[in-house]
Amino acid sequence: MPELREGPGRMLIAVYGIFAIAATSRSAVQIGTRFEHAPVAYVLSAFAALVYVLATVALARGGRRVALIACSIELAGVLLVGVASLVVPAAFPDATVWSLFGIGYGFIPLVLPVLGLWWLRKTA
C-alpha cells in the first residue's frame, strides 16, 4: 500500500499547494483593495485559502487526521457555497474560490477534496 506522500500523493500535495497560493493571493488582493464591495465573498475566499494551506501542510507532513478534517471542511464549503451562489447570487457580487462549485478554477475545487479523501482512505 502506498504511503500518503508517495506517487499520486505528491501530485495531490502539489495541487493543494498551488491552490493554497492562488486562494491566499486572491483573497489578500480582494480584502486589501475592495473589501467593502463583497465582504462575504472575500472572507469566504480567505477561509478557503486557510483550508488549502492547512490541507497542504497536513498532507505534506503525513498528518492524516488534520488532512481528513481539512478535506472534509473543503468539500462541505465548496458544496455549501456552490449551492448558495446559485440560489442567492446577489449575496455573491464577486466570486469566491468555491462560487458555483469552483467554476472559475475549472471545478478543481469540487474534485480536489474528493480526491484528497479518496487518497487518505486508500493509503490508510
Side-chain angles (χ1 to χ4, degrees):
M1 190 163 308
E3 185 185 318
L4 185 61
R5 297 171 285 189
E6 292 178 354
R10 288 182 189 215
M11 180 61 80
L12 189 64
I13 293 165
V15 174
Y16 265 106
I18 291 167
F19 268 78
I21 293 167
T24 300
S25 301
R26 177 184 185 148
S27 66
V29 168
Q30 289 172 327
I31 289 170
T33 61
R34 54 185 193 256
F35 182 74
E36 64 284 342
H37 175 68
V40 172
Y42 300 157
V43 168
L44 285 171
S45 285
F47 179 72
L50 179 65
V51 171
Y52 287 125
V53 168
L54 184 63
T56 303
V57 171
L59 288 167
R61 291 188 174 176
R64 290 182 173 283
R65 184 167 186 203
V66 174
L68 177 65
I69 292 167
C71 290
S72 298
I73 290 171
E74 177 190 359
L75 182 57
V78 77
L79 291 174
L80 289 171
V81 172
V83 168
S85 61
L86 283 174
V87 175
V88 191
F92 297 89
D94 208 350
T96 74
V97 175
W98 294 338
S99 292
L100 302 174
F101 306 101
I103 194 170
Y105 290 89
F107 297 105
I108 293 171
L110 180 61
V111 175
L112 195 57
V114 174
L115 291 175
L117 291 168
W118 171 79
W119 187 246
L120 285 163
R121 183 174 174 91
K122 182 173 175 57
T123 59

